[in-house]
PDB file of all heavy atoms in Angstrom:
ATOM      1  N   ILE A 360     -20.233-141.767 -76.033  1.00 61.00           N
ATOM      2  CA  ILE A 360     -19.036-141.743 -75.184  1.00 61.00           C
ATOM      3  C   ILE A 360     -18.736-140.294 -74.830  1.00 61.00           C
ATOM      4  O   ILE A 360     -19.244-139.352 -75.442  1.00 61.00           O
ATOM      5  CB  ILE A 360     -17.829-142.371 -75.911  1.00 61.00           C
ATOM      6  CG1 ILE A 360     -17.654-141.761 -77.306  1.00 61.00           C
ATOM      7  CG2 ILE A 360     -17.959-143.864 -76.023  1.00 61.00           C
ATOM      8  CD1 ILE A 360     -16.492-142.331 -78.077  1.00 61.00           C
ATOM      9  N   ALA A 361     -17.890-140.142 -73.814  1.00 56.00           N
ATOM     10  CA  ALA A 361     -17.541-138.794 -73.371  1.00 56.00           C
ATOM     11  C   ALA A 361     -16.877-138.019 -74.490  1.00 56.00           C
ATOM     12  O   ALA A 361     -16.133-138.593 -75.309  1.00 56.00           O
ATOM     13  CB  ALA A 361     -16.612-138.872 -72.157  1.00 56.00           C
ATOM     14  N   GLU A 362     -17.141-136.717 -74.517  1.00 55.00           N
ATOM     15  CA  GLU A 362     -16.629-135.896 -75.622  1.00 55.00           C
ATOM     16  C   GLU A 362     -15.098-135.947 -75.718  1.00 55.00           C
ATOM     17  O   GLU A 362     -14.531-136.031 -76.799  1.00 55.00           O
ATOM     18  CB  GLU A 362     -17.085-134.449 -75.431  1.00 55.00           C
ATOM     19  CG  GLU A 362     -16.689-133.531 -76.581  1.00 55.00           C
ATOM     20  CD  GLU A 362     -17.245-132.133 -76.410  1.00 55.00           C
ATOM     21  OE1 GLU A 362     -18.065-131.941 -75.488  1.00 55.00           O
ATOM     22  OE2 GLU A 362     -16.858-131.255 -77.190  1.00 55.00           O
ATOM     23  N   GLY A 363     -14.424-135.990 -74.575  1.00 55.00           N
ATOM     24  CA  GLY A 363     -12.976-136.026 -74.588  1.00 55.00           C
ATOM     25  C   GLY A 363     -12.425-137.338 -75.083  1.00 55.00           C
ATOM     26  O   GLY A 363     -11.264-137.417 -75.512  1.00 55.00           O
ATOM     27  N   GLU A 364     -13.245-138.402 -75.028  1.00 61.00           N
ATOM     28  CA  GLU A 364     -12.770-139.728 -75.455  1.00 61.00           C
ATOM     29  C   GLU A 364     -13.191-140.035 -76.891  1.00 61.00           C
ATOM     30  O   GLU A 364     -12.783-141.075 -77.435  1.00 61.00           O
ATOM     31  CB  GLU A 364     -13.326-140.798 -74.516  1.00 61.00           C
ATOM     32  CG  GLU A 364     -12.906-140.609 -73.060  1.00 61.00           C
ATOM     33  CD  GLU A 364     -13.599-141.595 -72.150  1.00 61.00           C
ATOM     34  OE1 GLU A 364     -14.393-142.392 -72.662  1.00 61.00           O
ATOM     35  OE2 GLU A 364     -13.360-141.549 -70.924  1.00 61.00           O
ATOM     36  N   ALA A 365     -14.021-139.189 -77.490  1.00 59.00           N
ATOM     37  CA  ALA A 365     -14.548-139.485 -78.829  1.00 59.00           C
ATOM     38  C   ALA A 365     -13.433-139.574 -79.866  1.00 59.00           C
ATOM     39  O   ALA A 365     -13.418-140.460 -80.700  1.00 59.00           O
ATOM     40  CB  ALA A 365     -15.579-138.428 -79.234  1.00 59.00           C
ATOM     41  N   SER A 366     -12.483-138.628 -79.776  1.00 62.00           N
ATOM     42  CA  SER A 366     -11.425-138.600 -80.780  1.00 62.00           C
ATOM     43  C   SER A 366     -10.580-139.859 -80.729  1.00 62.00           C
ATOM     44  O   SER A 366     -10.282-140.469 -81.766  1.00 62.00           O
ATOM     45  CB  SER A 366     -10.550-137.364 -80.571  1.00 62.00           C
ATOM     46  OG  SER A 366      -9.514-137.317 -81.537  1.00 62.00           O
ATOM     47  N   ALA A 367     -10.196-140.284 -79.505  1.00 65.00           N
ATOM     48  CA  ALA A 367      -9.381-141.497 -79.380  1.00 65.00           C
ATOM     49  C   ALA A 367     -10.146-142.731 -79.832  1.00 65.00           C
ATOM     50  O   ALA A 367      -9.598-143.612 -80.510  1.00 65.00           O
ATOM     51  CB  ALA A 367      -8.927-141.655 -77.925  1.00 65.00           C
ATOM     52  N   ALA A 368     -11.458-142.809 -79.477  1.00 64.00           N
ATOM     53  CA  ALA A 368     -12.261-143.956 -79.890  1.00 64.00           C
ATOM     54  C   ALA A 368     -12.409-144.020 -81.408  1.00 64.00           C
ATOM     55  O   ALA A 368     -12.325-145.091 -82.022  1.00 64.00           O
ATOM     56  CB  ALA A 368     -13.642-143.888 -79.224  1.00 64.00           C
TER      57      ALA A 368
END
Side-chain angles (χ1 to χ4, degrees):
I360 50 180
E362 184 176 352
E364 301 174 359
S366 180

